[in-house]
Amino acid sequence: MIFTLLSTLPVLIITSELDYSELVHSAELVSSSSSSSSHLHHKSFNSRKRNCTRDTDIIDRLLNGTGYNKFRIPQEEGMTVVVEIWIQAITSIDELTNDFDMDIYITETWLDPALNFQHMSPCKGNLSLNHQVLDRLWTPNSCFINSKVAQIHNSPFRSVFLMLFPNGTVMVNYRVRVKGPCSLDLSNFPLDLQKCSLIYESFNYNRQEVEMKWSDAEYPVFNLSKIVLPDFDLFEIQTERKQENYPAGMWDELHVTIIFERRFIWYFMQAYLPTYLTIFISWVSFALGSRAIPARTMLGVNSLLAIVFQFGNIMRNLPRVSYIKGIDVWMLVSMTFIFCSLLELAIVGFMVRDETVAKKKQQKKVSGNPSREESPHGIISERRFMFPPGCSDSTKSLNSCGTGCWTPERIDSISSVMFPLTFFVFNIIYWFYYIHRKEIIRENLINRLDG
């Protein structure tokens, strides 16, 4: 049996060697076929690449030797420019100068038939170019007509992006920093909403030559990220297209209105809460008693000076306006409460002084001139007067004693109840009125913009 196995071994070896050679030969055939196909594909790609037109050649053919004139409107029937604005950041809102700063991206799109390059077999689906090429093309010369400052960013080069599509569509994107005006109404300050606006239009072309309109997107003006400001929250952005009549014709104006809602918590912590504490401290004088006149005077005067200083510190950061603001009403009424507590102290001090003077006079009269009369038998007797309990001779001369006496202690007791109660009623009226007025202002702004 071993001999039989040894005799069949060479046949197996020869067979395996033949199978291995066939596998190697087939692998070489597959690799050669795949390399030839990839070579053909690469060769066809290179041939297509050699047949397409590069970006520089397309621009050279479009602008050189074709009679292209950037000062002539591309379409005789007029151009349509579609505008879209992306808000990158709103950096500040200044109440003193009535303006706001923000960084935005402005995208303008229009169709220029003279820039059609579909027949040139471009290598790319669109051309991404810089501002140097844009300087050679026709543009609508758009601008913010109501801005205080508007400039294109240069960081480190001019931030202008130009994209040219094969059908002649031109898309230009600018990164701009703009300072725009705000219509500030501080009558409800600090529970107020403020409105800032920008107007975008073509400066050189009227409506018959250039028609400006917003993009068909759901939000033609939107913020790229959440807007975070120290004093305000971004409430709403509204867009509107208007036609304005100028001596040179009708112009299309694209209006952007941004509504901001003031953050109230900072003013509550810096203005309202210290005022509450100052008024509460002024009421401590009612519990010191009618004899602590110097301590009560110092407490009341210091409270009044503190609230006056606080009021001046708030007004320093606000513009001078000729109408009364919400914070003015609060501060003036708070100062009135403290001033009234000083008036109450003056009344109590006057009554305490008269009572003291009367007592001293009575003591001198009793001690210096005792009332004596001589009896018929020569015995000198002293006349004594009896007063009702609870009233002395001095108090009897000032008022009628009894339950109706207006003593300093009773005035302090009544003031300690009436002052907090009156201040509580004032708080209810104040907060209800200005919060309700804020809702009315919000509805009016939204309805005015929607209408």
Side-chain angles (χ1 to χ4, degrees):
M1 185 174 180
I2 295 173
F3 178 77
T4 305
L5 290 173
L6 290 175
S7 63
T8 58
L9 183 60
V11 177
L12 293 173
I13 293 173
I14 293 171
T15 305
S16 62
E17 288 179 355
L18 290 174
D19 294 338
Y20 177 75
S21 62
E22 290 178 357
L23 290 173
V24 171
H25 180 67
S26 62
E28 289 177 353
L29 289 176
V30 171
S31 62
S32 61
S33 62
S34 62
S35 62
S36 61
S37 63
S38 63
H39 178 70
L40 291 174
H41 178 72
H42 184 68
K43 186 176 180 180
S44 63
F45 176 77
N46 288 335
S47 63
R48 288 199 306 268
K49 188 174 181 181
R50 285 195 300 268
N51 293 331
C52 67
T53 308
R54 295 180 298 176
D55 300 357
T56 55
D57 296 334
I58 291 174
I59 296 300
D60 186 63
R61 292 183 186 181
L62 290 174
L63 302 180
N64 297 329
T66 59
Y68 185 86
N69 187 359
K70 71 174 185 178
F71 302 106
R72 185 176 63 236
I73 299 177
Q75 300 184 45
E76 296 296 333
E77 62 274 13
M79 301 290 291
T80 300
V81 179
V82 180
V83 179
E84 190 170 318
I85 295 178
W86 311 331
I87 299 177
Q88 182 183 16
I90 299 176
T91 54
S92 66
I93 299 175
D94 195 343
E95 289 95 348
L96 295 177
T97 56
N98 287 1
D99 53 33
F100 72 109
D101 295 327
M102 69 176 181
D103 295 323
I104 58 176
Y105 291 94
I106 305 173
T107 302
E108 293 180 334
T109 307
W110 65 88
L111 179 63
D112 191 343
L115 300 179
N116 190 313
F117 60 91
Q118 288 179 335
H119 59 282
M120 297 183 185
S121 300
C123 298
K124 298 179 182 178
N126 52 65
L127 307 182
S128 299
L129 308 168
N130 55 22
H131 67 93
Q132 296 175 349
V133 178
L134 181 63
D135 294 337
R136 303 172 61 185
L137 303 181
W138 178 89
T139 57
N141 295 337
S142 306
C143 66
F144 292 103
I145 62 171
N146 67 330
S147 65
K148 297 182 178 181
V149 178
Q151 56 185 3
I152 299 176
H153 279 270
N154 291 280
S155 55
F157 51 85
R158 191 171 177 84
S159 300
V160 177
F161 173 74
L162 171 63
M163 181 173 286
L164 190 62
F165 293 89
N167 64 344
T169 300
V170 181
M171 188 187 75
V172 184
N173 184 271
Y174 309 91
R175 183 169 177 257
V176 181
R177 164 156 292 197
V178 60
K179 180 189 289 288
C182 294
S183 301
L184 296 182
D185 181 11
L186 300 175
S187 59
N188 216 58
F189 177 87
L191 298 171
D192 56 337
L193 288 89
Q194 301 302 338
K195 181 179 67 174
C196 302
S197 60
L198 288 171
I199 303 175
Y200 194 70
E201 71 174 26
S202 174
F203 193 80
N204 298 102
Y205 303 102
N206 59 25
R207 188 170 193 277
Q208 293 180 350
E209 298 170 322
V210 173
E211 181 183 359
M212 305 284 293
K213 69 175 186 178
W214 288 113
S215 170
D216 294 332
E218 183 179 1
Y219 300 104
V221 178
F222 63 94
N223 49 308
L224 297 176
S225 59
K226 185 178 180 180
I227 304 298
V228 179
L229 291 170
D231 293 346
F232 293 91
D233 288 324
L234 181 60
F235 178 70
E236 191 173 6
I237 301 175
Q238 292 284 344
T239 58
E240 187 180 7
R241 180 189 176 192
K242 294 182 180 181
Q243 294 181 7
E244 191 68 25
N245 189 10
Y246 291 97
M250 298 291 293
W251 258 259
D252 282 335
E253 292 183 349
L254 303 181
H255 290 247
V256 182
T257 303
I258 306 175
I259 301 176
F260 298 95
E261 183 176 4
R262 192 182 299 274
R263 291 184 175 182
F264 172 72
I265 187 63
W266 186 89
Y267 293 94
F268 182 81
M269 298 297 295
Q270 298 295 324
Y272 288 90
L273 185 59
T275 305
Y276 276 116
L277 297 178
T278 304
I279 292 176
F280 294 161
I281 289 174
S282 68
W283 295 342
V284 175
S285 63
F286 301 145
L288 296 180
S290 59
R291 304 296 176 181
I293 300 299
R296 294 179 62 172
T297 303
M298 182 183 66
L299 189 62
V301 171
N302 287 341
S303 299
L304 185 61
L305 292 177
I307 199 169
V308 169
F309 175 78
Q310 183 182 359
F311 187 36
N313 190 31
I314 294 173
M315 293 300 105
R316 190 181 302 117
N317 298 322
L318 294 176
R320 298 177 181 177
V321 294
S322 58
Y323 50 84
I324 298 177
K325 302 181 288 294
I327 193 71
D328 296 340
V329 175
W330 175 264
M331 286 295 180
L332 291 175
V333 173
S334 299
M335 282 191 284
T336 302
F337 271 94
I338 297 178
F339 181 74
C340 289
S341 68
L342 287 174
L343 288 180
E344 189 269 347
L345 175 61
I347 295 173
V348 170
F350 178 78
M351 295 184 66
V352 170
R353 186 193 65 177
D354 283 356
E355 183 179 337
T356 304
V357 171
K359 284 184 179 180
K360 287 182 179 180
K361 287 183 179 180
Q362 187 64 28
Q363 289 177 359
K364 288 181 180 180
K365 188 182 293 185
V366 172
S367 61
N369 298 314
S371 179
R372 297 170 180 268
E373 65 177 3
E374 189 173 340
S375 65
H377 301 284
I379 300 173
I380 300 175
S381 63
E382 183 176 343
R383 181 182 296 176
R384 299 180 183 273
F385 297 93
M386 300 299 293
F387 297 100
C391 291
S392 62
D393 189 16
S394 59
T395 57
K396 185 178 180 180
S397 63
L398 291 175
N399 49 41
S400 58
C401 297
T403 58
C405 291
W406 284 93
T407 61
E409 289 77 11
R410 187 181 180 191
I411 293 176
D412 283 341
S413 178
I414 294 175
S415 299
S416 63
V417 176
M418 291 302 299
F419 272 75
L421 181 62
T422 308
F423 187 68
F424 177 74
V425 173
F426 163 71
N427 272 264
I428 294 177
I429 297 173
Y430 177 86
W431 293 114
F432 175 79
Y433 174 78
Y434 281 101
I435 291 176
H436 180 65
R437 193 166 184 264
K438 179 181 179 180
E439 298 299 325
I440 294 176
I441 293 173
R442 180 188 284 116
E443 292 178 1
N444 290 338
L445 286 174
I446 295 174
N447 295 335
R448 188 183 307 166
L449 294 173
D450 292 341

